Amino acid sequence: MDGNLLTNLVDPPILFFFFGIFARLIKSDLEIPPALTKFFSLYMLMAIGIKGGSGLAESGVSREAVLIIISAIVMATVVPIYSYYILRMRLKNLYDAAAISATYGSVSAITFIASSEFISKLGIPHGGYMAVALVVMESPAIVMAVLLAGMVRSKLALEAKATGSKSNRSLPMKKILHEAFTDGTHLMLIASLLIGVATGMEGKKTMSPFTADIFKGMLAFFLLEMGLSVGSRLREMKEVGVFLLGFGVIMPVINSGVALAIGHFLGFAMGDAYMFMILVASASYIAVPAVVRHAIPEANPSLYFTMALAITFPFNIVFGIPLYYKMVTFVWGA
Amino acid sequence: MDGNLLTNLVDPPILFFFFGIFARLIKSDLEIPPALTKFFSLYMLMAIGIKGGSGLAESGVSREAVLIIISAIVMATVVPIYSYYILRMRLKNLYDAAAISATYGSVSAITFIASSEFISKLGIPHGGYMAVALVVMESPAIVMAVLLAGMVRSKLALEAKATGSKSNRSLPMKKILHEAFTDGTHLMLIASLLIGVATGMEGKKTMSPFTADIFKGMLAFFLLEMGLSVGSRLREMKEVGVFLLGFGVIMPVINSGVALAIGHFLGFAMGDAYMFMILVASASYIAVPAVVRHAIPEANPSLYFTMALAITFPFNIVFGIPLYYKMVTFVWGA
Amino acid sequence: MDGNLLTNLVDPPILFFFFGIFARLIKSDLEIPPALTKFFSLYMLMAIGIKGGSGLAESGVSREAVLIIISAIVMATVVPIYSYYILRMRLKNLYDAAAISATYGSVSAITFIASSEFISKLGIPHGGYMAVALVVMESPAIVMAVLLAGMVRSKLALEAKATGSKSNRSLPMKKILHEAFTDGTHLMLIASLLIGVATGMEGKKTMSPFTADIFKGMLAFFLLEMGLSVGSRLREMKEVGVFLLGFGVIMPVINSGVALAIGHFLGFAMGDAYMFMILVASASYIAVPAVVRHAIPEANPSLYFTMALAITFPFNIVFGIPLYYKMVTFVWGA
Amino acid sequence: MTSDGQKMKKVEIVIEAVMLEEIISIIDQAGAGGYTILPTVTGRGYRGYRSGFELTNVFQNAMVFTLVDEEKALIISQEVKKLIQDYAGVIIITDADVVWPDYQKDR
Amino acid sequence: MTSDGQKMKKVEIVIEAVMLEEIISIIDQAGAGGYTILPTVTGRGYRGYRSGFELTNVFQNAMVFTLVDEEKALIISQEVKKLIQDYAGVIIITDADVVWPDYQKDR
Amino acid sequence: MTSDGQKMKKVEIVIEAVMLEEIISIIDQAGAGGYTILPTVTGRGYRGYRSGFELTNVFQNAMVFTLVDEEKALIISQEVKKLIQDYAGVIIITDADVVWPDYQKDR
Ligand SMILES: Nc1ncnc2c1ncn2[C@@H]1O[C@H](COP(=O)(O)O)[C@@H](O)[C@H]1O
Ligand SMILES: Nc1ncnc2c1ncn2[C@@H]1O[C@H](COP(=O)(O)O)[C@@H](O)[C@H]1O
Ligand SMILES: Nc1ncnc2c1ncn2[C@@H]1O[C@H](COP(=O)(O)O)[C@@H](O)[C@H]1O
Ligand code: NA
Ligand code: NA
Ligand code: NA
């Protein structure tokens, strides 16, 4: 990788992320108050939404936009399936396999933001509809995972028959769907997108001192908190084990490769293809765990949360962002 | 109403308000942390104060300013009285009548802000002393309501004589006045105004990246929280009943009409008259409930709070702002 | 002092500080949520660090920079020693003497910020390495105070021998050092400095809408909270007593004098000398109390915390900032 | 115990924050007169440390208590017990003397 | 109960947040040695759900407890009981064994 | 008490926030099965008012409770008692009926 690509890392917000990890490792008491973390996370979604939505209002809905959104939904549905079959080759607890699959089928908004900053700095544009792709990828993975977990439950029930004293306490599908679609952060992103579409460039201009100018500072704080969280999760790494650790770094690369192939086949513009790879490669550590904890209570959150947050997220930030760029430029021949 | 006027609603902060209501109605778990809500509300008051105060330092205190401030105090005193007599025509609990009167005599800073944005967009200026009017209208209504409640208490005591086991636990007037005048949000506004006056245009310039440039974004978050609050209150609407619901939408219109007449009679500039109408038409859902809960414990907060927040506030934002503008331009002939 | 110097006080953030004190004195319920206070304090450190670090990247490390940093470490070590011997002349509880010494040897970042604003307004520059001086002065004072407290403990143990039922519950030095150096706010400043150095002017530019443009507004909120804290501490003033009150206002002046002499002797530039005086004259009310409460549990935090926050901090803001400027211009002959 | 109090059970439940709503619906269905929620507590138990300072509330606890008669206490604790087979949580029952306003004496 | 504890009453009060100060002054006036406040709790009772996530603290609860002897417990509960005729709240009294530092044994 | 509960002691400790970690290590060392933390409480006691709204957490309290058998309750209260000679705090011990999940019955 040439030096140019590593400039991604010499950016204050990214450096604050590493600082956060470091602070936890040396057991500092540094802490971002939870109320602020929650606010920053809503702020990030507002910023993505306003930017993507106003871009969409400007450009209109092209044929490529529709193709990308359909591809996004397909990938969010398919990734959990093949992930599950890979995972069950080694995992004894099949509920864990289902839950982990959900996080990898879904997406990480902060990875999306960091990649968008990276590629914009290189002068390569991407469409406002990529924010729509981000939206539509959140929920299908959850639904898939719940179906997989349901399959597991039936199978185990068959096997165990009369043994089953531990009754099935998982939520009914209807309630899961309600949670998946009304999740606060999910709605915030959708609403911001729609408001961006409705108010267009005018709305963007009004909001931009807040949502764009001071964005990097807010991102620095949010990534600092992410770093702190990653740092505290690192201690639980041994629970995760070598197999899942490997999964956490290889899977994003495989997923990005599949996305690359689709993007090339369907003729996406390079910037869009890159962002699509990022979406497919990233894993969810906010929305999915919150729903899956209810939907698949038998799965261990220390596994799926730690993998998405403490393995795949930093891997994508440090290696994935430049690597996928190498891949896309190799194929598109920039 | 022409399209021009509805542009008020196609503004990101206002749209986030509607989104907040919607999110509650579909039972999303979206939530702004209370610590942030409190901060945004202090921020809004700082922004109003700095802007109004520095404007006042610039313009000096004109004859019109003095007239407006006196009118504001008079209206904050008179509105509770006639409101009370209207309310007691139908309400059995006279304490409720007194408490509701207080909220309608007092004011809503966010309605003030939204109207100020609306009218500024139309290029019509208003004086910095309007922020002073906002300040002076907060407390007189509380005092009036307490006097009315005292009246009710004496009357009931006379009627009930020996029956009265439920002793009068309301606060002494001195303590009520202390609370009304030292209320944190009230003081914040006064202090910001004075600091705006003291530091003038220089102070405004120093602060404006914070208090003006990012203002719309902060307002969007605050209105989102307002929407969420309105949304949760909507469920208590049946407790409010048809009579009070009607009161909540008709009273602001009547009050704005009275204000219009006064403004015209005293020869206010159009922008000032409009803002004066807004002040008189709006109802308080932050400062007044906080004091009145102590001062008139016999009144039911689900009534007075819900009416001010969930009926009159949205009514003013959606219909009142353009309606009062129609009214003022009709008379002033813009 | 000429009018020019008092302009320091006619600045919105400083006025919000006085407002905070006033609000507490009249027992207002005004309150900044603790989560926000914590955030503002981290924000301030980020802002100092980015600014100082990027300045350092620009200027490189000069001979003067090295001299200043060494002087800073020396003063942070020496001030606690002579403070301790002054204090023990009158204080019965020698643990209190040791703890108070630590706060005066250490520094206040907000005093640093306010002075930096003051002197920048007068057009006098200071080096980015002054932020490094701020960093290196935080911990040595704590170490010194712990050594002093250890001395006290041995002495008392000797005197009391068999009496000693109250076992020594202080932390081992290793743990104290860990706490002193991994304290969250301390690390935040160091990290921001290093990130400022690493990303240079580019990084500063990216971050400045957040860390510089809206700085004054954030400072206003933080100083408001400081004022509220000072206001509530004022009630504990009688516990402090006349001797310590005198110490709290005279010591900063003495310390600034010593710093002035060193600065002159070593030939610092005037702006650097002034900032050095400020550092030596200020006392710590955040980092030091947090560590010393563990390290010297026998000392009474109402004394050392109140002195640093409610006496020395306001003294420096109101009188110290212009006074030390008078002193430095008298010697440098501006 | 203090004279004018009503002898009741105080049933305290510590539970994963994500399960708070189910607990409340159990309490409601048992016919309790009310409950009080302590929205954020942290803790350690059989399932390890639950810090409450993460990006997700998955590692956070909440606490709720309800004042009820012995019979309802039994129903609630049995229902909640089923839930805490899968979720972090514990149920604590103590004797309490409860004083209500006069007009609520009939609880 | 545990040997070196002092037998006392733990008086817990859930109350509207706006009334916290009055409750504290009642506790002080009864001569209690102290109290502990849980500043934000939410709950449901006779007066409906009190969510605590509103713009005003009028719909928020607070909780406070004080450790006192039986006599003071009675005084406090009687005084507070008067208040909760008009305000949302409940009083909970339990037996507790309290351990103080040695130099405070005389409480 | 309610039938299927285990008779235990609920040991509640109010302590300066800065000492929370030591308290927890005492609880851990006594072999308790767990604890629950209420991270921010305020209060008044022998050492005056501890407001919790300062720039430093030196004036803040925390509360923690652990459910243990009588023997461990005694050990914990003795250890904590030593600490609260120097630090603000109090220990409260009550009888409690605790319901655990089935697989934890062996506590
Ligand atoms: N022995 C105990 N004492 C106090 N709280 C406990 C105890 N055991 C568990 N808890 C609380 O209950 C939560 C869940 O417990 P567990 O399901 O055992 O992990 C913990 O996070 C603690 O907050
Ligand atoms: N049965 C109960 N159990 C636990 N908390 C209660 C109960 N009843 C009332 N509360 C608490 O006391 C507050 C006021 O109660 P009330 O005055 O009955 O509305 C409620 O918001 C709850 O926090
Ligand atoms: N009598 C009491 N009742 C309830 N809480 C108390 C009592 N005494 C002390 N506390 C709590 O324990 C903390 C420390 O007490 P102290 O060491 O006596 O200052 C106080 O800040 C209160 O939170
Ligand atoms: Na993905
Ligand atoms: Na009004
Ligand atoms: Na110093």
Side-chain angles (χ1 to χ4, degrees):
Chain A
M1 256 161 272
D2 55 67
N4 186 21
L5 293 180
L6 281 176
T7 58
N8 171 41
L9 302 180
V10 191
D11 192 39
I14 302 286
L15 293 174
F16 275 103
F17 173 69
F18 293 120
F19 162 51
I21 298 180
F22 173 77
R24 262 305 161 273
L25 292 184
I26 64 167
K27 302 196 177 178
S28 165
D29 62 355
L30 182 64
E31 195 181 280
I32 309 291
L36 268 301
T37 303
K38 201 160 179 201
F39 166 61
F40 292 137
S41 121
L42 293 174
Y43 168 87
M44 294 294 143
L45 297 169
M46 182 189 274
I48 300 177
I50 296 279
K51 195 176 158 202
S54 60
L56 210 57
E58 194 79 328
S59 70
V61 180
S62 62
R63 191 180 148 276
E64 191 185 340
V66 174
L67 276 181
I68 286 182
I69 290 162
I70 293 172
S71 311
I73 296 174
V74 169
M75 281 306 281
T77 316
V78 173
V79 168
I81 301 179
Y82 65 73
S83 299
Y84 176 76
Y85 284 96
I86 295 173
L87 286 163
R88 59 173 287 172
M89 284 160 43
R90 295 290 283 274
L91 280 192
K92 265 172 233 141
N93 183 342
L94 296 182
Y95 294 114
D96 284 339
I100 296 171
S101 302
T103 66
Y104 283 84
S106 188
V107 288
S108 149
I110 300 297
T111 311
F112 180 85
I113 285 173
S115 319
S116 164
E117 300 276 322
F118 170 77
I119 204 170
S120 303
K121 236 197 236 158
L122 297 175
I124 300 161
H126 61 83
Y129 40 79
M130 292 316 300
V132 181
L134 175 68
V135 167
V136 298
M137 288 185 77
E138 206 169 282
S139 310
I142 294 174
V143 175
M144 283 314 299
V146 171
L147 293 178
L148 290 168
M151 227 172 65
V152 174
R153 254 177 232 121
S154 322
K155 206 182 122 204
L156 294 185
L158 265 185
E159 284 172 21
K161 274 260 168 85
T163 333
S165 67
K166 208 183 173 190
S167 72
N168 173 6
R169 228 169 305 291
S170 70
L171 296 180
M173 191 49 130
K174 206 185 123 199
K175 224 179 147 188
I176 291 163
L177 287 179
H178 182 262
E179 282 203 27
F181 289 103
T182 65
D183 172 71
T185 54
H186 190 61
L187 275 193
M188 185 72 182
L189 179 52
I190 296 177
S192 303
L193 248 173
L194 293 177
I195 290 172
V197 169
T199 62
M201 281 303 136
E202 174 94 0
K204 187 183 171 184
K205 222 186 81 197
T206 316
M207 296 296 281
S208 78
F210 184 70
T211 54
D213 296 355
I214 64 171
F215 182 80
K216 279 284 183 127
M218 305 288 260
L219 182 61
F221 264 101
F222 193 72
L223 280 176
L224 172 52
E225 167 61 28
M226 296 277 301
L228 292 169
S229 291
V230 168
S232 20
R233 285 284 125 191
L234 284 182
R235 285 185 219 144
E236 307 212 10
M237 216 45 118
K238 57 177 175 293
E239 209 180 321
V240 170
V242 174
F243 171 65
L244 290 182
L245 202 152
F247 184 92
V249 304
I250 295 169
M251 207 60 203
V253 180
I254 295 177
N255 286 343
S256 73
V258 176
L260 178 76
I262 294 175
H264 193 241
F265 179 74
L266 296 178
F268 295 174
M270 192 175 92
D272 292 345
Y274 177 72
M275 292 309 292
F276 183 55
M277 290 170 74
I278 288 291
L279 285 174
V280 178
S282 72
S284 165
Y285 40 80
I286 299 187
V288 170
V291 179
V292 162
R293 190 70 189 100
H294 285 292
I296 316 178
E298 304 92 337
N300 178 359
S302 295
L303 294 186
Y304 56 83
F305 180 74
T306 306
M307 288 174 67
L309 180 74
I311 302 174
T312 299
F313 175 73
F315 171 79
N316 276 333
I317 294 295
V318 179
F319 302 106
I321 286 179
L323 174 65
Y324 310 147
Y325 181 71
K326 274 274 157 195
M327 288 162 65
V328 84
T329 49
F330 182 81
V331 175
W332 264 252
Chain B
M1 254 165 273
D2 54 68
N4 187 20
L5 292 179
L6 281 176
T7 57
N8 172 40
L9 301 180
V10 190
D11 192 39
I14 302 286
L15 293 174
F16 276 104
F17 173 69
F18 293 119
F19 163 50
I21 297 180
F22 174 76
R24 261 307 161 272
L25 292 184
I26 65 167
K27 302 197 177 178
S28 165
D29 62 354
L30 181 64
E31 194 181 280
I32 309 291
L36 267 301
T37 303
K38 201 159 177 200
F39 166 62
F40 292 137
S41 121
L42 293 174
Y43 167 87
M44 294 294 144
L45 297 169
M46 182 189 273
I48 300 177
I50 296 281
K51 194 176 159 204
S54 61
L56 210 57
E58 194 79 330
S59 69
V61 181
S62 63
R63 191 181 149 277
E64 189 184 340
V66 174
L67 276 180
I68 285 182
I69 291 162
I70 294 173
S71 312
I73 298 175
V74 170
M75 282 307 280
T77 315
V78 172
V79 168
I81 301 178
Y82 66 71
S83 299
Y84 176 76
Y85 284 97
I86 294 172
L87 287 163
R88 57 174 286 172
M89 284 160 44
R90 295 289 283 275
L91 280 192
K92 265 172 234 141
N93 184 343
L94 296 183
Y95 293 114
D96 283 339
I100 295 171
S101 302
T103 66
Y104 283 83
S106 188
V107 287
S108 150
I110 300 298
T111 311
F112 180 85
I113 284 173
S115 319
S116 164
E117 300 275 323
F118 170 76
I119 202 169
S120 302
K121 236 197 237 158
L122 297 176
I124 300 161
H126 62 84
Y129 40 80
M130 291 317 300
V132 181
L134 175 67
V135 166
V136 298
M137 288 185 77
E138 206 168 283
S139 311
I142 295 174
V143 175
M144 282 314 299
V146 171
L147 293 178
L148 290 167
M151 227 171 66
V152 174
R153 254 176 232 121
S154 322
K155 205 182 121 204
L156 294 185
L158 266 184
E159 285 172 21
K161 272 264 170 81
T163 334
S165 67
K166 209 183 172 191
S167 71
N168 173 5
R169 229 169 304 292
S170 70
L171 296 181
M173 191 47 132
K174 208 186 120 198
K175 224 179 147 188
I176 291 164
L177 287 178
H178 181 262
E179 282 204 26
F181 288 105
T182 66
D183 171 71
T185 54
H186 190 61
L187 275 193
M188 185 72 182
L189 179 53
I190 296 178
S192 303
L193 248 174
L194 293 177
I195 290 172
V197 169
T199 61
M201 280 302 136
E202 174 94 359
K204 187 184 170 183
K205 222 186 81 197
T206 316
M207 297 296 282
S208 78
F210 184 71
T211 53
D213 296 355
I214 63 172
F215 182 79
K216 280 283 184 128
M218 305 288 261
L219 182 61
F221 265 102
F222 193 71
L223 280 175
L224 172 52
E225 167 60 29
M226 295 276 302
L228 293 169
S229 291
V230 169
S232 20
R233 285 285 126 189
L234 284 182
R235 285 185 220 144
E236 308 213 8
M237 216 45 119
K238 56 179 174 297
E239 209 178 322
V240 169
V242 173
F243 170 65
L244 290 181
L245 203 152
F247 184 92
V249 303
I250 295 167
M251 207 61 203
V253 180
I254 296 177
N255 286 341
S256 73
V258 176
L260 177 76
I262 294 176
H264 194 241
F265 179 74
L266 296 177
F268 296 174
M270 191 175 93
D272 292 344
Y274 177 72
M275 293 308 293
F276 182 56
M277 289 170 74
I278 288 291
L279 286 174
V280 178
S282 71
S284 165
Y285 41 79
I286 299 188
V288 170
V291 179
V292 162
R293 189 68 190 102
H294 285 292
I296 315 178
E298 303 90 339
N300 178 0
S302 293
L303 294 186
Y304 55 83
F305 180 73
T306 305
M307 287 173 69
L309 179 73
I311 301 173
T312 299
F313 175 73
F315 171 78
N316 276 333
I317 294 295
V318 179
F319 301 106
I321 287 180
L323 174 66
Y324 309 149
Y325 181 70
K326 274 272 156 195
M327 287 162 66
V328 83
T329 49
F330 183 80
V331 175
W332 264 250
Chain C
M1 253 164 273
D2 54 66
N4 186 20
L5 293 179
L6 282 175
T7 58
N8 172 42
L9 301 181
V10 190
D11 193 40
I14 302 286
L15 293 174
F16 276 103
F17 174 68
F18 293 119
F19 163 50
I21 298 180
F22 173 76
R24 264 303 163 274
L25 292 184
I26 64 167
K27 302 196 177 179
S28 165
D29 62 355
L30 182 64
E31 196 181 280
I32 309 291
L36 268 301
T37 303
K38 201 158 178 202
F39 166 62
F40 292 137
S41 123
L42 293 174
Y43 167 87
M44 295 293 144
L45 297 169
M46 182 190 272
I48 300 176
I50 296 279
K51 194 177 159 202
S54 61
L56 210 58
E58 194 79 329
S59 70
V61 180
S62 63
R63 190 181 149 276
E64 191 185 339
V66 174
L67 276 181
I68 285 183
I69 290 162
I70 294 173
S71 311
I73 297 175
V74 170
M75 281 306 280
T77 316
V78 173
V79 168
I81 301 179
Y82 65 72
S83 299
Y84 176 75
Y85 283 97
I86 294 172
L87 286 163
R88 58 173 285 171
M89 284 160 43
R90 295 290 283 274
L91 280 191
K92 264 173 232 141
N93 183 343
L94 296 182
Y95 294 114
D96 283 340
I100 295 171
S101 303
T103 65
Y104 283 83
S106 189
V107 287
S108 150
I110 300 298
T111 311
F112 180 85
I113 284 173
S115 318
S116 164
E117 300 275 323
F118 170 75
I119 203 169
S120 303
K121 237 197 237 160
L122 298 175
I124 300 161
H126 61 83
Y129 39 79
M130 291 316 299
V132 181
L134 175 67
V135 166
V136 298
M137 288 185 77
E138 204 168 284
S139 310
I142 295 174
V143 175
M144 282 314 299
V146 171
L147 293 178
L148 290 168
M151 227 172 64
V152 175
R153 253 175 233 123
S154 321
K155 205 182 120 202
L156 294 184
L158 265 185
E159 284 173 19
K161 273 262 167 84
T163 334
S165 66
K166 208 183 172 188
S167 73
N168 173 4
R169 231 169 304 288
S170 71
L171 297 180
M173 190 48 129
K174 208 185 119 199
K175 223 179 147 188
I176 291 164
L177 288 178
H178 181 262
E179 282 203 25
F181 288 105
T182 65
D183 171 72
T185 55
H186 190 60
L187 275 193
M188 184 72 182
L189 179 52
I190 295 178
S192 303
L193 247 173
L194 293 177
I195 290 171
V197 170
T199 60
M201 280 302 137
E202 175 95 359
K204 188 183 169 183
K205 222 186 82 198
T206 315
M207 296 294 282
S208 77
F210 185 71
T211 54
D213 297 355
I214 62 171
F215 182 79
K216 280 284 184 128
M218 305 288 259
L219 182 61
F221 264 103
F222 192 71
L223 280 176
L224 171 52
E225 166 62 28
M226 295 278 300
L228 293 169
S229 290
V230 169
S232 19
R233 284 284 126 190
L234 284 182
R235 285 184 219 145
E236 309 214 8
M237 217 43 120
K238 56 178 176 294
E239 209 180 323
V240 169
V242 174
F243 170 65
L244 291 181
L245 203 151
F247 184 92
V249 303
I250 295 168
M251 208 60 203
V253 181
I254 296 177
N255 286 342
S256 73
V258 176
L260 178 77
I262 293 177
H264 194 241
F265 179 75
L266 296 177
F268 295 174
M270 192 175 92
D272 292 345
Y274 176 73
M275 292 308 292
F276 183 54
M277 289 169 74
I278 289 290
L279 285 174
V280 178
S282 72
S284 164
Y285 40 80
I286 299 188
V288 170
V291 179
V292 162
R293 189 70 190 99
H294 285 292
I296 317 179
E298 304 91 338
N300 178 359
S302 295
L303 294 186
Y304 56 82
F305 180 74
T306 306
M307 287 174 67
L309 179 73
I311 302 173
T312 300
F313 175 73
F315 172 79
N316 276 333
I317 294 295
V318 179
F319 302 106
I321 286 180
L323 174 65
Y324 309 147
Y325 181 71
K326 274 273 156 194
M327 287 162 66
V328 84
T329 49
F330 183 81
V331 175
W332 264 251
Chain D
M1 284 193 174
T2 321
S3 53
D4 60 349
Q6 184 179 345
K7 301 223 169 308
M8 298 187 87
K9 294 288 176 184
K10 183 185 183 198
V11 182
E12 289 173 300
I13 299 159
V14 180
I15 191 76
E16 305 199 8
V18 297
M19 294 307 288
L20 186 57
E21 273 186 43
E22 335 288 288
I23 297 291
I24 286 170
S25 78
I26 289 174
I27 291 173
D28 282 343
Q29 273 160 33
Y35 51 82
T36 296
I37 299 169
L38 288 69
T40 32
V41 306
T42 65
R44 186 181 66 72
Y46 194 84
R47 286 172 177 79
Y49 186 55
R50 300 182 47 79
S51 73
F53 284 113
E54 299 292 340
L55 290 168
T56 161
N57 67 350
V58 162
F59 297 94
Q60 200 174 296
N61 290 341
M63 191 161 148
V64 53
F65 70 84
T66 180
L67 303 159
V68 285
D69 59 31
E70 185 146 4
E71 191 189 336
K72 284 175 189 147
L74 193 61
I75 296 173
I76 292 171
S77 78
Q78 279 169 349
E79 278 307 303
V80 174
K81 193 179 164 180
K82 288 185 205 156
L83 269 184
I84 61 175
Q85 306 295 331
D86 271 342
Y87 291 95
V90 65
I91 307 163
I92 309 157
I93 303 167
T94 43
D95 287 315
D97 239 36
V98 182
V99 181
W100 305 106
D102 288 333
Y103 56 90
Q104 294 177 33
K105 261 288 157 57
D106 50 320
R107 293 209 213 193
Chain E
M1 284 193 176
T2 322
S3 53
D4 60 349
Q6 185 179 344
K7 301 224 169 309
M8 299 187 86
K9 294 287 176 186
K10 182 184 183 199
V11 182
E12 288 173 301
I13 298 159
V14 180
I15 190 79
E16 305 200 7
V18 298
M19 292 308 288
L20 186 58
E21 274 186 44
E22 337 286 289
I23 298 291
I24 287 169
S25 78
I26 289 174
I27 291 173
D28 283 343
Q29 272 161 34
Y35 51 81
T36 296
I37 299 168
L38 289 69
T40 31
V41 306
T42 64
R44 186 179 67 73
Y46 194 84
R47 285 173 177 79
Y49 186 55
R50 299 182 48 78
S51 73
F53 283 113
E54 298 294 338
L55 292 168
T56 162
N57 68 348
V58 162
F59 296 93
Q60 201 174 295
N61 289 341
M63 191 162 149
V64 54
F65 70 84
T66 179
L67 303 158
V68 285
D69 59 30
E70 185 146 4
E71 190 189 335
K72 285 175 189 146
L74 193 60
I75 295 173
I76 292 171
S77 78
Q78 280 169 348
E79 280 306 304
V80 173
K81 193 179 163 179
K82 288 185 204 156
L83 269 184
I84 59 175
Q85 306 295 330
D86 272 340
Y87 292 93
V90 64
I91 307 163
I92 310 156
I93 303 167
T94 44
D95 287 315
D97 241 34
V98 182
V99 182
W100 306 105
D102 289 332
Y103 57 90
Q104 296 178 30
K105 263 285 157 60
D106 50 321
R107 294 207 213 193
Chain F
M1 283 192 176
T2 321
S3 54
D4 61 348
Q6 186 179 344
K7 300 222 171 310
M8 299 188 85
K9 294 287 177 184
K10 182 183 181 199
V11 182
E12 288 174 300
I13 299 159
V14 180
I15 191 76
E16 304 199 9
V18 297
M19 292 308 289
L20 186 58
E21 275 187 41
E22 337 285 289
I23 298 292
I24 287 170
S25 77
I26 289 172
I27 291 173
D28 282 343
Q29 272 160 34
Y35 51 82
T36 296
I37 299 169
L38 289 70
T40 31
V41 305
T42 64
R44 187 180 65 74
Y46 194 84
R47 286 174 177 78
Y49 186 54
R50 300 180 49 77
S51 72
F53 283 113
E54 298 293 337
L55 291 168
T56 162
N57 67 349
V58 162
F59 297 92
Q60 201 173 295
N61 289 341
M63 192 162 149
V64 53
F65 69 83
T66 180
L67 303 159
V68 285
D69 59 32
E70 185 147 3
E71 191 189 335
K72 284 175 189 147
L74 193 61
I75 296 174
I76 291 170
S77 78
Q78 279 169 349
E79 280 306 304
V80 173
K81 194 180 163 180
K82 288 185 205 156
L83 268 184
I84 59 174
Q85 306 296 329
D86 273 341
Y87 291 94
V90 65
I91 307 163
I92 309 156
I93 303 167
T94 43
D95 288 314
D97 240 35
V98 182
V99 182
W100 305 107
D102 289 332
Y103 58 90
Q104 294 177 32
K105 262 286 158 61
D106 50 322
R107 294 207 213 192

